[in-house]
PDB file of all heavy atoms in Angstrom:
ATOM      1  N   ALA A 124     -24.148 -16.663  37.412  1.00  0.00           N
ATOM      2  CA  ALA A 124     -24.006 -16.052  38.806  1.00  0.00           C
ATOM      3  C   ALA A 124     -22.847 -15.152  38.874  1.00  0.00           C
ATOM      4  O   ALA A 124     -22.824 -14.272  39.745  1.00  0.00           O
ATOM      5  CB  ALA A 124     -23.821 -17.297  39.746  1.00  0.00           C
ATOM      6  N   LYS A 125     -21.953 -15.196  37.981  1.00  0.00           N
ATOM      7  CA  LYS A 125     -20.728 -14.372  38.025  1.00  0.00           C
ATOM      8  C   LYS A 125     -21.098 -13.044  37.304  1.00  0.00           C
ATOM      9  O   LYS A 125     -20.260 -12.098  37.302  1.00  0.00           O
ATOM     10  CB  LYS A 125     -19.536 -15.031  37.345  1.00  0.00           C
ATOM     11  CG  LYS A 125     -19.031 -16.213  38.086  1.00  0.00           C
ATOM     12  CD  LYS A 125     -18.009 -16.972  37.256  1.00  0.00           C
ATOM     13  CE  LYS A 125     -17.616 -18.266  38.020  1.00  0.00           C
ATOM     14  NZ  LYS A 125     -16.785 -19.143  37.139  1.00  0.00           N
ATOM     15  N   GLY A 126     -22.247 -12.898  36.741  1.00  0.00           N
ATOM     16  CA  GLY A 126     -22.687 -11.672  36.010  1.00  0.00           C
ATOM     17  C   GLY A 126     -22.242 -11.539  34.664  1.00  0.00           C
ATOM     18  O   GLY A 126     -22.455 -10.518  34.028  1.00  0.00           O
ATOM     19  N   TYR A 127     -21.651 -12.591  34.148  1.00  0.00           N
ATOM     20  CA  TYR A 127     -21.118 -12.479  32.620  1.00  0.00           C
ATOM     21  C   TYR A 127     -22.149 -12.391  31.634  1.00  0.00           C
ATOM     22  O   TYR A 127     -21.878 -11.917  30.523  1.00  0.00           O
ATOM     23  CB  TYR A 127     -20.261 -13.700  32.378  1.00  0.00           C
ATOM     24  CG  TYR A 127     -18.912 -13.866  33.243  1.00  0.00           C
ATOM     25  CD1 TYR A 127     -18.363 -15.131  33.403  1.00  0.00           C
ATOM     26  CD2 TYR A 127     -18.503 -12.778  33.913  1.00  0.00           C
ATOM     27  CE1 TYR A 127     -17.318 -15.313  34.170  1.00  0.00           C
ATOM     28  CE2 TYR A 127     -17.316 -12.996  34.699  1.00  0.00           C
ATOM     29  CZ  TYR A 127     -16.716 -14.201  34.827  1.00  0.00           C
ATOM     30  OH  TYR A 127     -15.662 -14.299  35.594  1.00  0.00           O
ATOM     31  N   LEU A 128     -23.407 -12.817  31.994  1.00  0.00           N
ATOM     32  CA  LEU A 128     -24.487 -12.747  30.940  1.00  0.00           C
ATOM     33  C   LEU A 128     -25.195 -11.472  31.002  1.00  0.00           C
ATOM     34  O   LEU A 128     -26.243 -11.325  30.177  1.00  0.00           O
ATOM     35  CB  LEU A 128     -25.396 -14.020  31.122  1.00  0.00           C
ATOM     36  CG  LEU A 128     -24.741 -15.349  31.143  1.00  0.00           C
ATOM     37  CD1 LEU A 128     -25.854 -16.449  31.426  1.00  0.00           C
ATOM     38  CD2 LEU A 128     -24.132 -15.569  29.812  1.00  0.00           C
ATOM     39  N   SER A 129     -24.844 -10.545  31.882  1.00  0.00           N
ATOM     40  CA  SER A 129     -25.537  -9.311  31.955  1.00  0.00           C
ATOM     41  C   SER A 129     -24.952  -8.198  31.090  1.00  0.00           C
ATOM     42  O   SER A 129     -25.572  -7.139  30.973  1.00  0.00           O
ATOM     43  CB  SER A 129     -25.493  -8.823  33.420  1.00  0.00           C
ATOM     44  OG  SER A 129     -24.290  -8.481  33.784  1.00  0.00           O
ATOM     45  N   LEU A 130     -23.807  -8.464  30.451  1.00  0.00           N
ATOM     46  CA  LEU A 130     -23.133  -7.524  29.666  1.00  0.00           C
ATOM     47  C   LEU A 130     -22.583  -6.338  30.363  1.00  0.00           C
ATOM     48  O   LEU A 130     -22.284  -5.255  29.834  1.00  0.00           O
ATOM     49  CB  LEU A 130     -24.118  -7.042  28.483  1.00  0.00           C
ATOM     50  CG  LEU A 130     -24.451  -8.004  27.395  1.00  0.00           C
ATOM     51  CD1 LEU A 130     -25.610  -7.502  26.566  1.00  0.00           C
ATOM     52  CD2 LEU A 130     -23.208  -8.188  26.503  1.00  0.00           C
ATOM     53  N   ASN A 131     -22.499  -6.500  31.700  1.00  0.00           N
ATOM     54  CA  ASN A 131     -22.066  -5.386  32.631  1.00  0.00           C
ATOM     55  C   ASN A 131     -20.505  -5.378  32.424  1.00  0.00           C
ATOM     56  O   ASN A 131     -19.836  -6.418  32.755  1.00  0.00           O
ATOM     57  CB  ASN A 131     -22.372  -5.718  33.949  1.00  0.00           C
ATOM     58  CG  ASN A 131     -21.974  -4.567  34.929  1.00  0.00           C
ATOM     59  OD1 ASN A 131     -21.195  -3.659  34.532  1.00  0.00           O
ATOM     60  ND2 ASN A 131     -22.481  -4.610  36.185  1.00  0.00           N
ATOM     61  N   PRO A 132     -19.825  -4.349  31.926  1.00  0.00           N
ATOM     62  CA  PRO A 132     -18.437  -4.287  31.800  1.00  0.00           C
ATOM     63  C   PRO A 132     -17.655  -4.408  33.060  1.00  0.00           C
ATOM     64  O   PRO A 132     -16.466  -4.796  33.084  1.00  0.00           O
ATOM     65  CB  PRO A 132     -18.152  -2.991  31.094  1.00  0.00           C
ATOM     66  CG  PRO A 132     -19.391  -2.112  31.459  1.00  0.00           C
ATOM     67  CD  PRO A 132     -20.557  -3.069  31.484  1.00  0.00           C
ATOM     68  N   PHE A 133     -18.299  -4.163  34.174  1.00  0.00           N
ATOM     69  CA  PHE A 133     -17.640  -4.146  35.488  1.00  0.00           C
ATOM     70  C   PHE A 133     -17.727  -5.522  36.099  1.00  0.00           C
ATOM     71  O   PHE A 133     -17.231  -5.797  37.199  1.00  0.00           O
ATOM     72  CB  PHE A 133     -18.183  -3.158  36.465  1.00  0.00           C
ATOM     73  CG  PHE A 133     -18.104  -1.714  35.935  1.00  0.00           C
ATOM     74  CD1 PHE A 133     -19.129  -0.987  35.531  1.00  0.00           C
ATOM     75  CD2 PHE A 133     -16.777  -1.195  35.874  1.00  0.00           C
ATOM     76  CE1 PHE A 133     -19.014   0.320  35.094  1.00  0.00           C
ATOM     77  CE2 PHE A 133     -16.620   0.138  35.486  1.00  0.00           C
ATOM     78  CZ  PHE A 133     -17.708   0.924  35.051  1.00  0.00           C
ATOM     79  N   ALA A 134     -18.436  -6.487  35.566  1.00  0.00           N
ATOM     80  CA  ALA A 134     -18.654  -7.813  36.040  1.00  0.00           C
ATOM     81  C   ALA A 134     -17.527  -8.762  35.655  1.00  0.00           C
ATOM     82  O   ALA A 134     -17.520  -9.874  36.310  1.00  0.00           O
ATOM     83  CB  ALA A 134     -20.012  -8.354  35.720  1.00  0.00           C
ATOM     84  N   TYR A 135     -16.692  -8.472  34.730  1.00  0.00           N
ATOM     85  CA  TYR A 135     -15.777  -9.434  34.225  1.00  0.00           C
ATOM     86  C   TYR A 135     -14.608  -9.586  35.226  1.00  0.00           C
ATOM     87  O   TYR A 135     -14.229  -8.735  35.997  1.00  0.00           O
ATOM     88  CB  TYR A 135     -15.232  -9.014  32.877  1.00  0.00           C
ATOM     89  CG  TYR A 135     -16.323  -8.868  31.820  1.00  0.00           C
ATOM     90  CD1 TYR A 135     -16.520  -7.727  31.154  1.00  0.00           C
ATOM     91  CD2 TYR A 135     -17.262  -9.891  31.709  1.00  0.00           C
ATOM     92  CE1 TYR A 135     -17.597  -7.648  30.243  1.00  0.00           C
ATOM     93  CE2 TYR A 135     -18.283  -9.829  30.771  1.00  0.00           C
ATOM     94  CZ  TYR A 135     -18.481  -8.555  30.070  1.00  0.00           C
ATOM     95  OH  TYR A 135     -19.554  -8.471  29.219  1.00  0.00           O
ATOM     96  N   THR A 136     -14.062 -10.745  35.144  1.00  0.00           N
ATOM     97  CA  THR A 136     -12.882 -11.125  36.085  1.00  0.00           C
ATOM     98  C   THR A 136     -11.754 -10.191  36.018  1.00  0.00           C
ATOM     99  O   THR A 136     -11.215  -9.758  36.911  1.00  0.00           O
ATOM    100  CB  THR A 136     -12.446 -12.482  35.697  1.00  0.00           C
ATOM    101  OG1 THR A 136     -13.520 -13.486  35.718  1.00  0.00           O
ATOM    102  CG2 THR A 136     -11.299 -13.004  36.755  1.00  0.00           C
TER     103      THR A 136
END
Side-chain angles (χ1 to χ4, degrees):
K125 295 169 185 171
Y127 298 157
L128 301 178
S129 68
L130 290 164
N131 184 350
F133 298 113
Y135 301 125
T136 305

